[in-house]
Amino acid sequence: MRLRLYIAGSAPNSVRAVVNARAICEQHFPSAYELEVVDLLDSPERALADGIIVTPTLLKLAPRPTQRIIGNLSDTEQVLMALVGTDRRHE
């Protein structure tokens, strides 16, 4: 799985989103993910190219379909549903 997380510096929600994204990936997709973190303060042109206007925003780039998740990623079930398309509570 290829993911890109857009953050805004060390804002509390951005820091929380990075921690949550890494924890979700390590727990549910160990060694099967690539997480790129892009700071809007350093690379605003990258955000513009991807149409990012709110941070934090997680983009699932591959496998398709692409998905966009906005927020600090604290709702693990919601994040997993967006990433894999299933409700993991019923597994």
Side-chain angles (χ1 to χ4, degrees), residues 8-82:
S10 59
N13 271 342
S14 293
V15 172
R16 197 168 301 120
V18 172
V19 169
N20 290 339
R22 288 187 175 137
I24 289 168
C25 289
E26 283 299 316
Q27 182 177 359
H28 297 279
F29 315 109
S31 70
Y33 74 94
E34 173 188 330
L35 176 63
E36 175 186 14
V37 178
V38 178
D39 189 336
L40 283 174
L41 303 179
D42 295 330
S43 304
E45 70 285 349
R46 303 245 349 249
L48 185 60
D50 276 337
I52 302 299
I53 57 173
V54 176
T55 63
T57 297
L58 180 66
L59 295 180
K60 179 184 101 171
L61 303 170
R64 294 227 180 254
T66 58
Q67 292 289 334
R68 184 178 301 241
I69 307 158
I70 298 171
N72 65 20
L73 312 176
S74 61
D75 186 341
T76 302
E77 293 301 326
Q78 181 183 19
V79 173
L80 288 172
M81 286 179 65

